[in-house]
Amino acid sequence: MKDTPLSNCERDFLLKAIQEKKRLDGRQTYDYRKIKITFGTDYGSCFVDLGKTRVMGQVSCELVAPKENRPNEGIMFFNIELSPMASPAFEQGRQSELSVKLNRQLERCLRNSKCIDTESLCVVSGEKVWKIRVDVHLLNHDGNLMDAASIAAISALCHFRRPDVSIQGDEVTVYSQEERDPIPLSIYHMPISVSFSFFQQGTYLLVDPCEREERVMDGLLMIAMNKHREICSIQSSGGIMLLKDQVMRCSKIASVKVSEITELIGKALENDKKARKAGGRCGFAESIPLERITALKMDETPMEIMHVTERANDIVQKAEVPPQMVQSPVVPVPGVGQVGQGLQNTWGLEEEEEEEDENEGSDNSAEEQEGRVSPMEEEKYEKEERDGGDVVEISDSEEEEVVILHPEKPDQDPKNTESSLHQKASNKKRQ
């Protein structure tokens, strides 16, 4: 997943603020964010907060065979893990260009500077040496990952203790922490990385850029230095051309920042050592005091519990009598159904019943109309019954007249034929 790109308005705002020597968090040009260093319960566990950037460093060790070209030296291994928890731009289980770049810079800063005595990590020459593994996990990303990673790595290495070993012939015995006190690593100096960001082709310079400032910068310069003002590594990225005076000015600023951070690491180590000796809270438990936990905390409300029974009785006596419960009436509304205890299910039944009643009423009216006979028709029926002939009825619904036709019979008298002709003529006159 890619980061949401900055809009043109945000970019212009950041660049204009940098030109006016202003920053988003109110810092000055050469100011660092607040640094907090805490140690875990186990040796070699360290948490570093650089503003909102949070990094965890963990150091572990194991006995392995040495390298063939260096049989008397231990092995140092560094790994930086960029998890999606820190930023949605990082992918799990896949190395990005940023992770490779940070790994190489950390190796140059700590391994190539020879800050750790690797020969002291040898147990049996050519057979057994200690392999020190430094894992740096990024917990939250808000810019300047390299500085936070270098501080976490060197602090975890200073805090780490390896188990003591003894050799009897070809047998190597590793003692636990309860049997023998663990041994700290032999560290010569503490190289710390300081990052500088350049804007508008090196015209403006900032120390400790945040995540938004890194998006609009033109170049980055990382200088790893110890408190003795010895440059351990230097790396420039971004493709900008820097002058000699700019690099010298950055190195002077870095020497001041490195001395301050080194002093901070020393104080944190000393406080942790005193807390462990005194048997007090140390490590992660000390970093989260109970007074600051807000997950299960609630505000306490003072309550007066004197004379509770008397007050309760007074309240009950003064209270109004609640009205009796009455079932809600069934309100027949078209398109609305009511279902519940004591109510009649009316989901669409009323409309169907009304339609059925209408259909039945129309059928009954039609049958009644068909069953009604006018007095003229009754007389004609009586005549037909007397004559005993078949009758054919033809009804006209518009004029409501009935025409009765008598079929001709061979045995019919001439009088009857004349009467039928006379009747036909009268009907035609009516029409």
Side-chain angles (χ1 to χ4, degrees):
M1 181 178 177
K2 293 183 179 180
D3 279 334
T4 304
L6 288 177
S7 62
N8 294 332
C9 296
E10 291 176 311
R11 187 179 296 273
D12 296 340
F13 175 79
L14 288 170
L15 293 176
K16 188 174 181 180
I18 292 169
Q19 290 177 7
E20 297 177 0
K21 296 183 179 181
K22 296 178 182 178
R23 305 180 74 169
L24 294 178
D25 47 9
R27 290 182 291 157
Q28 298 297 322
T29 305
Y30 301 145
D31 287 350
Y32 250 87
R33 288 173 288 181
K34 183 180 178 181
I35 301 174
K36 181 182 178 183
I37 301 173
T38 56
F39 296 100
T41 307
D42 298 332
Y43 285 111
S45 178
C46 177
F47 295 87
V48 174
D49 294 328
L50 181 59
K52 292 184 179 180
T53 300
R54 185 172 175 83
V55 173
M56 182 190 74
Q58 179 67 47
V59 181
S60 58
C61 66
E62 61 176 342
L63 285 173
V64 296
K67 294 181 180 179
E68 295 181 357
N69 55 349
R70 294 180 180 178
N72 299 326
E73 295 183 5
I75 300 174
M76 296 290 298
F77 180 78
F78 298 92
N79 178 45
I80 294 182
E81 187 73 23
L82 304 180
S83 64
M85 178 177 63
S87 174
F90 301 146
E91 297 181 6
Q92 181 69 29
R94 184 178 180 181
Q95 279 196 345
S96 60
E97 295 182 0
L98 179 61
S99 63
V100 174
K101 175 184 172 182
L102 293 175
N103 264 316
R104 290 177 180 175
Q105 181 65 15
L106 192 63
E107 288 179 358
R108 291 174 188 170
C109 178
L110 298 177
R111 181 197 292 168
N112 299 345
S113 63
K114 303 293 183 181
C115 65
I116 298 175
D117 185 11
T118 54
E119 291 183 0
S120 63
L121 301 175
C122 179
V123 179
V124 179
S125 179
E127 295 182 5
K128 296 287 184 181
V129 296
W130 285 108
K131 178 182 178 181
I132 307 298
R133 179 186 176 95
V134 182
D135 291 294
V136 179
H137 296 271
L138 183 62
L139 305 180
N140 190 33
H141 174 37
D142 192 34
N144 201 6
L145 299 178
M146 188 60 218
D147 292 10
S150 66
I151 296 171
I154 195 63
S155 301
L157 286 171
C158 294
H159 188 255
F160 178 69
R161 303 289 188 271
R162 67 171 178 83
D164 194 7
V165 295
S166 64
I167 304 170
Q168 294 179 356
D170 295 337
E171 185 179 355
V172 178
T173 305
V174 180
Y175 296 97
S176 63
Q177 187 175 355
E178 290 78 13
E179 296 173 346
R180 288 189 182 181
D181 292 337
I183 301 172
L185 300 178
S186 178
I187 298 176
Y188 296 134
H189 57 90
M190 291 191 292
I192 297 170
S193 176
V194 180
S195 298
F196 302 89
S197 57
F198 294 92
F199 302 87
Q200 295 186 2
Q201 299 300 319
T203 306
Y204 301 98
L205 168 67
L206 291 182
V207 178
D208 183 24
C210 64
E211 191 262 341
R212 289 185 178 272
E213 291 170 347
E214 285 183 350
R215 291 192 181 188
V216 298
M217 68 181 181
D218 295 333
L220 184 68
L221 178 66
M222 292 184 286
I223 299 177
M225 185 182 291
N226 56 21
K227 65 179 182 180
H228 308 295
R229 296 187 178 182
E230 297 173 350
I231 294 178
C232 302
S233 69
I234 185 169
Q235 181 178 356
S236 176
S237 60
I240 61 171
M241 302 296 294
L242 297 177
L243 300 176
K244 179 182 177 181
D245 296 338
Q246 291 176 320
V247 178
M248 292 301 296
R249 186 176 66 171
C250 292
S251 63
K252 290 179 181 178
I253 297 171
S255 64
V256 177
K257 300 300 179 184
V258 165
S259 60
E260 294 176 357
I261 296 172
T262 304
E263 185 179 356
L264 180 63
I265 295 173
K267 288 182 180 179
L269 291 169
E270 186 178 355
N271 293 335
D272 182 77
K273 187 177 180 180
K274 288 180 180 179
R276 289 177 185 274
K277 277 189 176 181
R281 292 187 305 174
C282 61
F284 194 65
E286 193 272 336
S287 64
I288 304 182
L290 296 177
E291 292 81 5
R292 297 181 182 177
I293 294 178
T294 58
L296 301 175
K297 186 178 179 181
M298 60 181 68
D299 296 334
E300 296 181 358
T301 304
M303 293 181 60
E304 185 180 355
I305 59 175
M306 300 295 291
H307 309 291
V308 176
T309 307
E310 297 176 359
R311 293 185 179 181
N313 293 331
D314 294 340
I315 293 172
V316 171
Q317 292 175 1
K318 293 178 181 179
E320 297 179 358
V321 180
Q324 295 182 356
M325 298 298 294
V326 181
Q327 285 188 350
S328 60
V330 180
V331 182
V333 180
V336 178
Q338 296 183 3
V339 178
Q341 188 176 3
L343 299 176
Q344 188 179 4
N345 187 353
T346 60
W347 286 100
L349 295 178
E350 293 183 354
E351 297 178 359
E352 295 178 359
E353 292 176 357
E354 291 177 359
E355 292 178 358
E356 291 178 358
D357 295 340
E358 291 177 358
N359 294 333
E360 290 178 359
S362 61
D363 296 339
N364 294 332
S365 61
E367 291 177 357
E368 290 176 357
Q369 290 179 1
E370 292 178 358
R372 293 176 182 174
V373 182
S374 61
M376 294 178 63
E377 291 177 353
E378 289 179 358
E379 294 178 359
K380 293 177 182 178
Y381 279 123
E382 290 177 358
K383 291 180 181 180
E384 290 173 359
E385 289 178 357
R386 294 172 186 171
D387 298 338
D390 298 331
V391 179
V392 180
E393 296 182 0
I394 298 175
S395 62
D396 190 0
S397 59
E398 293 180 357
E399 298 180 359
E400 296 182 358
E401 293 181 357
V402 179
V403 180
I404 299 174
L405 301 178
H406 297 276
E408 296 181 356
K409 293 182 181 180
D411 299 335
Q412 194 173 14
D413 294 337
K415 293 181 180 179
N416 294 333
T417 55
E418 290 177 0
S419 62
S420 62
L421 293 173
H422 180 72
Q423 187 176 1
K424 289 179 184 179
S426 63
N427 291 333
K428 287 181 181 180
K429 288 180 180 178
R430 289 178 183 175
Q431 293 178 359

